[in-house]
Amino acid sequence: MTDAHYNPDPHAHPGLHLIAIFEAGKGLLAFAAAFGLELLGPAPLLRWLRELTLRFQISTDHGALAWLSNAINPDSVHLAAALIFAYGVLRMLEAWGLWRVKVWASWLGCISAAIYLPLDVYALFRHPGWTSVAVLVVNLIVVAVLARDIFKRGR
């Protein structure tokens, strides 16, 4: 059921276009990260981890760093790259849908942005500062714009 006041013309929704551009940017960054992981492979990651532990004199005998150094191998790098690439595809699909003013894209974006809100609030209390505030505000704006779009459609 569509609201009689809802304008389906994509040009009538600059907020959705702005969010679409933002999501496309995240998708492109994810693609770059996935391809970068595939090109680099595990050797530079292990070297970087070793240099990090030496610089900060962190023990790699136990804990998360020991697990991480054991987990970095060709298979895990391929898996990580595939997951990051899939995330990029999802962001690009959302961007395309928002640009074309598709209701499913508004739902996808609203839900995916809302999932981060508790983490954003946690980060604000754990690491107060303008960055934490900015991330929270941006996510709140995205959720509000997309929720408004969904609501105006009468769904």
Side-chain angles (χ1 to χ4, degrees):
M1 181 167 130
T2 304
D3 185 1
H5 296 101
Y6 188 80
N7 184 352
D9 179 19
H11 296 94
H13 304 278
L16 295 184
H17 284 170
L18 190 60
I19 295 169
I21 292 168
F22 183 67
E23 293 302 322
K26 290 176 11 184
L28 291 174
L29 285 174
F31 289 155
F35 289 126
L37 273 177
E38 281 297 326
L39 289 173
L40 288 174
L45 297 174
L46 287 168
R47 189 172 44 254
W48 175 77
L49 184 62
R50 196 170 25 259
E51 289 171 8
L52 183 71
T53 57
L54 289 173
R55 173 169 289 202
F56 293 104
Q57 299 176 353
I58 303 170
S59 171
T60 57
D61 295 334
H62 53 79
L65 288 179
W67 175 85
L68 186 60
S69 64
N70 290 328
I72 296 175
N73 60 56
D75 291 336
S76 65
V77 170
H78 292 314
L79 177 61
L83 291 173
I84 294 168
F85 185 82
Y87 174 82
V89 168
L90 183 65
R91 296 293 71 140
M92 294 303 276
L93 184 63
E94 179 187 345
W96 178 86
L98 288 172
W99 193 265
R100 306 283 296 168
V101 191
K102 303 292 185 186
V103 70
W104 59 262
S106 290
W107 275 105
L108 176 62
C110 189
I111 291 168
S112 64
I115 286 172
Y116 290 111
L117 290 176
L119 299 173
D120 294 340
V121 171
Y122 174 77
L124 182 63
F125 285 106
R126 187 87 169 139
H127 307 284
W130 69 269
T131 305
S132 297
V133 171
V135 169
L136 177 61
V137 168
V138 167
N139 273 343
L140 284 171
I141 290 170
V142 167
V143 170
V145 167
L146 296 176
R148 180 177 178 264
D149 181 64
I150 293 166
F151 180 74
K152 286 186 105 184
R153 292 173 189 257
R155 296 189 187 258

